[in-house]
Amino acid sequence: MGSIAAQLFSGLSRDIKSGSSLGSVNVDLQTDATLQVDISDALSERDKVKFTVHTKSTLPNFKQNEFSVVRQHEEFIWLHDSFVENEEYAGYIIPPAPPRPDFDASREKLQKLGEGEGSMTKEEFTKMKQELEAEYLAIFKKTVAMHEVFLCRVAAHPVLRKDMNFHVFLEYNQDLSVRGKNKREKMEDFFKNVVKSADGVLVAGVKDVDDFFEHEKTFLLEYHNRVKDASSKSDRMIRSHKSKSPHCLIISTCLGKFFLKVSELFEKTRKIEARVAADEDLKLADLLKYYLRESQAAKDLLYRRGRALVDYENANKALDKARAKNKDVLQAETSQQVCCQKFEKISESAKQELIDFKTRRVAAFRKNLVELAELELKHAKGNLQLLQSCVGVLKGDT
Amino acid sequence: MKMATSSERSPPPFPEDLEPEPDEVGDQDSDDGEDIFLGTDNPLEIKMDPSLSVSDITSSTKPLSEASSPPVMDLLSEPASEASSAPMVDLLMEPASEGSSAPMVDILSEPASEASSAPMVDLLMEPASEGSSAPMVDLLMEPASEASSAPMMNLLMEPASEASSAPMMNLLMEPASDDLKEPPKPDIDPLADIINDTPLSEGKTPVAAMPQEPPSDLFDDEPSELFAEPRQSNTAKQQQTSIFDEPDEDLFSEPLGEASKKPQNDFFKEALAPVAKASNVCGPLSDNYNEHPTDIFTEEAITTLPSAVSTVSVNSKTNGVHSDEEEPDIFAEATVELSLDSPRNDRKKKEAAKPSASASAPAPSVSASASKPQPKTLEELEEEVEDKFELNISITNPEKVGDGMNAYMAYKVSTQTTLPMFRSKTFTVRRRFSDFLGLYEKLSDKHTLNGYIVPPPPEKSIMGMTKVKVGKEDNSSAEFVERRRAALERYLQRVVFHPSLLQDPDVREFLERDDMPRAHNTQALSGAGFLKMINRATDSLSKMTIKMNESDVWFEEKLQEVEAEDQQLRKLHIMVDSLVGHRKELSVNTGGFAKSVAMLGSSEDNTALSRALSQLAEVEDKMEQLHQEQAASDSFCFAELLADYIRLLGSVRASFDQRMKTWQRWQDAQNMLQKKRETEAKLLWANKPDKLQQAKDDITEWEAKVTQYERDFDRVSATVRKEVLRFEKEKARDFKKQIIKYLESLLQSQQQLIKYWEAFLPEAKAIA
């Protein structure tokens, strides 16, 4: 089971990576040659996960061609935040930050298993434990992959890859001593978010001058909500799919007392079912989740642009006012100039980014959906064969 | 990329806080089993002793007089006086100890006849009537310890207590307190006590050697059931020895050689003369014969009665010796066979027992032997039926009759048959659910007593029925009706598939009769239901207190097997139920997902992707349907099957219990006989010839009873064994059929799944 999970898992990271690289093909083809980032190793220490980030680069601003550093999740978040906060990158879709490693669910299950220990046989317990271990391993690997995808996206991005913070993140072989946000900062963040979303509603209400952006805006708003919905639903579906598995397991061990053959069958179909669930998880739920975050990032981009547009319009108004009053005209003019520039810049890069986003998305969906269908077919066929042979055997020995 | 492989280098430490050291559930099972049959060592111990003591006695000239009389006196006088202190027993005790015959007979006959209908009566009456020395012995079902000093402790694993002194309930409930009152033999080790007691009792009456016989009896039953034809010749015996390669088979065939001097048919047909001859020709055989067949050959028993008393005691003594060699039961076979054949006859016999009770126990068995030819043919018929079973029963058209809370569902029961016992080839009746329950009540009243496994009907479901009654035509009530219909069909099929139950007039009536009298007492909350509940409670109470010294490994193992299986099935059932629940949940969630994917598709601005997404939504929609169907088939094919078998296992256990009860009755009778013999010895010693005759009569009567009960036990054992084997065969067949059906449903849904995804694949590929 473990090896299966490992296979599935490597499949996942490959898929997402290829999905993103597909998107970045038209941006920069040499990316792979000049800057290659991957996570070569990961260690789980209690509730912390340490990622070993391995970089291969020919870029001149790195001291060496190849080096590795140990990074933690918080440092990834710091890097992401530094991108978001940088005005320079306002016009780009900032690759979404990886989700926090979450092993709580797995631990909780293990806890439950421990509590229910008395009520099941040793055989069942061992199998359940193996299952949970496999699940834990899968979650772990998924976490690693999410972090890796983030770095790859950044490394593939024509602008972000040149970011100083990114380089420090990759190269500085000491602890970056990024501390988690304290309470005050968290409160600030919270307020900022509230203001931002309120502002976002205001800004969204502003009619865009550009049809492309207007269209993108409405699309993204809707799309985001629906992806969110689909993602949560798919999660639910897969969870119930998965929760079936332990029952099948116990059924199979119980059946073992009566019909060896049928018990075997149950065991096998259970494994296949588990793989179906895992594959659905990988191909569907993860895809949707990733695009949930990505569309959020795109929305943020549009928000920034909308903000810039509103600022620009306000500056125009201020300039008109200043001209009318003939007071502070120069100042107003410069601020109007700045706003205009900012808006123009954002619009320009945002357009390209959104087009990229779309191609990336379509490609990723295509790939994942095709693979999903193929895997479903494969598993269903495997199941069918098992069932057929089992029925054959049962009928045969009458 | 590299990550996948490299991260395996250091797999994450898995939280190891919970190391699995689960106690094997199985262990506990076996412990329980051992507890139940802890007594099994005892018979062995006992076995050792009687041969010793008996030989002792035979060497010491006359059996009943000097050697044993002093202890007998002691034992008898003690309990007798103490018994009068116990209020319950008092009434019945006095006549018993007095040895006056008339009341005794009455009392004795009553339990015999009523035992079948009322376990309560059984419990209370039997011990009371037997109670001259130790009423408790019977209640607590102790075979070897009729010594009245330590009957309790063996059962309850407590030091000895003066059983007869304490009131009954006390003894049942608080053994410990009794210990404190007066422990005449405060021996902590029960085994040691048995050993101490048994030689004593053996010395008094050799019949106590009887407990050793069950093993050999059981081997005898088996053949008699297999070769049910009257001609049980040597060839048959040979076969049987080869079939049952038990260690005893040699011993077993040995006496046979002797027996085969005369064809066994003679034993059946000519009552007295050949028997007498036989007893003259071969010693051990005739000895046994005198003992066992008293029932069948009533005349013999009666005629020999007056003169036989002394010889009986001698004979039974030798019997004790021989029983160690496991020979004596060739004749038991004959009797067993007789009674095996027809449970109905047996019932008749029991009913007959009441009026003729005063004419002493053997009377009823005359009717049994008289009706011998009929059961024979019946059995042959049964075998035929089993060979080519031509009876198809289907239940269709569930239909609501009436309105409101008085509404009920009527089902159409159609029968198709070629069996001559039915009036026509096809017929249809309408039955309601309580009729099915009524049928079960009738059948179980009749057949459970004989150790048959009567298939139980589906349970009443007030919830489900109320829903139907209220008249909501929604899915769940339709599902409930269909589920019940199928369950009833399976139930009825099980009933008619049972060769003995098929012969029951009630079954025939149920299938054929147009206007079925309304079944009573099937309401869960009626007075009868309450009575039933009480009976059940007493049953389980006595079950708790009965400690059977299981003499047959087969039964012991089977019972354990059945219990383990029951547990497994229950667990499995729970799991399948929750699997069904999860599948339903999955179905709902898939539906939800399908909807949101459809929404997502509609908002997607890439047309191809949008199309693909809406296709995916469709696929998921169909999957929802599929999961739903699968859940239904899970519960229908699988969960229902399991529920059926959980109920059936209950019946299997009931038949095991029945066997135990019969055994207990036999043991009680033996103890009683023992008492009677003691009384006789006492009288002999006290030189009271006037009462001696009475005592002798008592003994003969009880000997008859013991034989009768032993035969009952053998018969029930044989039936249970046959039934369990049949049940297992049936079970395997049923499970296989259902599982194949279930797997086919799975197969189908997988095929559908493949179809759906195959349709989707090109759509996904078409995304550009």
Side-chain angles (χ1 to χ4, degrees), chain A residues 87-308:
Chain A
E87 284 287 322
E88 288 287 306
Y89 305 138
Y92 303 103
I93 293 176
I94 311 292
R100 242 186 78 74
D102 184 15
F103 303 116
D104 290 348
S106 181
R107 283 216 184 87
E108 205 174 283
K109 270 191 199 160
L110 201 73
Q111 191 80 32
K112 259 197 217 150
L113 179 69
E115 281 160 13
E117 195 183 307
S119 67
M120 54 181 89
T121 64
K122 201 166 195 163
E123 194 185 351
E124 283 164 6
F125 185 85
T126 332
K127 274 189 187 168
M128 292 276 244
K129 190 162 177 257
Q130 277 173 5
E131 203 111 311
L132 285 182
E133 279 169 351
E135 194 184 304
Y136 181 84
L137 195 71
I139 295 176
F140 182 80
K141 292 195 169 183
K142 199 147 92 175
T143 309
V144 173
M146 293 292 191
H147 286 78
E148 195 179 37
V149 166
F150 171 69
L151 290 184
C152 290
R153 280 285 311 280
V154 174
H157 199 280
V159 182
L160 295 182
R161 65 189 306 206
K162 296 185 184 106
D163 183 78
M164 265 312 290
N165 282 334
F166 183 49
H167 288 186
V168 169
F169 177 90
L170 292 179
E171 198 175 25
Y172 184 62
N173 61 358
Q174 303 284 307
D175 194 348
L176 286 176
S177 69
V178 183
R179 58 183 172 80
K181 285 174 177 156
N182 62 26
K183 256 187 196 149
R184 201 173 56 86
E185 283 168 320
K186 270 182 191 160
M187 283 299 281
E188 272 172 15
D189 272 8
F190 177 72
F191 278 120
K192 245 192 240 167
N193 273 330
V194 170
V195 170
K196 188 180 136 191
S197 45
D199 199 31
V201 173
L202 280 180
V203 168
V206 175
K207 180 92 179 85
D208 207 300
V209 283
D210 193 326
D211 277 350
F212 173 81
F213 284 109
E214 185 61 27
H215 172 78
E216 280 300 314
K217 195 169 72 189
T218 47
F219 162 72
L220 269 176
L221 280 175
E222 197 184 341
Y223 188 82
H224 180 73
N225 287 336
R226 292 192 171 161
V227 157
K228 201 167 164 183
D229 184 41
S231 170
S232 70
K233 291 280 164 54
S234 74
D235 260 4
R236 257 224 213 101
M237 176 176 83
I238 285 154
R239 208 173 41 237
S240 51
H241 213 138
K242 275 179 177 164
S243 65
K244 236 174 61 187
S245 168
H247 296 289
C248 289
L249 178 82
I250 293 173
I251 288 173
S252 93
T253 50
C254 282
L255 266 181
K257 312 286 195 300
F258 303 107
F259 297 96
L260 208 62
K261 190 75 193 167
V262 180
S263 156
E264 252 172 54
L265 172 90
F266 256 84
E267 183 66 20
K268 280 180 192 154
T269 51
R270 182 183 68 83
K271 278 184 179 158
I272 289 184
E273 289 271 328
R275 288 189 61 179
V276 170
D279 283 342
E280 277 175 2
D281 194 15
L282 290 176
K283 302 295 172 195
L284 215 54
D286 284 352
L287 176 79
L288 291 172
K289 256 184 236 152
Y290 190 78
Y291 275 90
L292 175 64
R293 285 181 289 124
E294 183 98 21
S295 63
Q296 180 61 50
K299 247 174 75 180
D300 286 349
L301 168 65
L302 281 184
Y303 163 71
R304 287 193 296 269
R305 185 182 161 280
R307 185 73 252 166

Side-chain angles (χ1 to χ4, degrees), chain A residues 6 9-10 13 17 38-44 54 107 110-111 114 117-122 124-125 129 132-133 136-137 140-141 144 148 215-216 219 222-223 226-227 229-230 233-234 236-237 240-241 243-244 247-248 250-251 254-255 257-259 262 265-266 273 280 284 288 358 361-362 365-366 369-370 372-374 376-377 380-381 383-384 387-388 390-391 394-395 397-398, chain B residues 1-26 565 568-569 571-572 574-576 578-579 582-583 585-587 589-590 592-593 595-606 609 612-613 616 620 623 627 638 731-732 735-736 739-740 742-744 746-748 750-751 753-755 757-758 760-761 764-768:
Chain A
F9 194 68
S10 62
S13 65
K17 264 181 262 169
D38 63 83
I39 293 175
S40 60
D41 199 358
L43 259 174
S44 167
H54 174 251
R107 283 216 184 87
L110 201 73
Q111 191 80 32
E117 195 183 307
S119 67
M120 54 181 89
T121 64
K122 201 166 195 163
E124 283 164 6
F125 185 85
K129 190 162 177 257
L132 285 182
E133 279 169 351
Y136 181 84
L137 195 71
F140 182 80
K141 292 195 169 183
V144 173
E148 195 179 37
H215 172 78
E216 280 300 314
F219 162 72
E222 197 184 341
Y223 188 82
R226 292 192 171 161
V227 157
D229 184 41
K233 291 280 164 54
S234 74
R236 257 224 213 101
M237 176 176 83
S240 51
H241 213 138
S243 65
K244 236 174 61 187
H247 296 289
C248 289
I250 293 173
I251 288 173
C254 282
L255 266 181
K257 312 286 195 300
F258 303 107
F259 297 96
V262 180
L265 172 90
F266 256 84
E273 289 271 328
E280 277 175 2
L284 215 54
L288 291 172
K358 191 181 262 178
R361 194 182 69 230
V362 170
F365 267 93
R366 178 181 191 274
L369 288 181
V370 167
L372 174 72
E374 277 168 351
E376 292 270 6
L377 276 175
K381 276 175 183 161
N383 235 339
L384 188 71
L387 285 166
Q388 269 167 346
C390 188
V391 169
L394 280 179
K395 278 185 176 164
D397 63 19
T398 27
Chain B
M1 283 199 286
K2 224 181 280 171
M3 180 237 73
T5 50
S6 55
S7 60
E8 264 164 313
R9 261 185 277 138
S10 60
F14 194 68
E16 291 281 323
D17 30 330
L18 316 145
E19 266 310 303
E21 296 298 338
D23 280 349
E24 283 261 322
V25 178
E565 197 175 310
Q568 285 289 335
L569 278 183
K571 199 170 164 189
L572 192 58
I574 291 168
M575 282 303 148
V576 171
S578 66
L579 176 71
H582 278 290
R583 248 200 242 277
E585 190 189 315
L586 175 61
S587 163
N589 288 339
T590 309
F593 177 65
K595 279 195 192 75
S596 50
V597 166
M599 294 290 282
L600 182 65
S602 72
S603 71
E604 175 63 60
D605 57 358
N606 181 304
L609 183 53
L613 283 177
L616 180 67
E620 295 291 348
M623 298 267 282
H627 287 311
F638 211 29
K731 184 184 71 186
F735 261 87
K736 192 165 158 179
I739 281 192
I740 286 179
Y742 175 63
L743 291 184
E744 272 167 353
L746 277 177
L747 204 82
Q748 219 174 9
Q750 287 297 327
Q751 271 164 343
L753 199 75
I754 290 175
K755 221 173 77 189
W757 282 111
E758 262 170 358
F760 174 70
L761 190 56
K765 281 185 174 153
I767 302 170

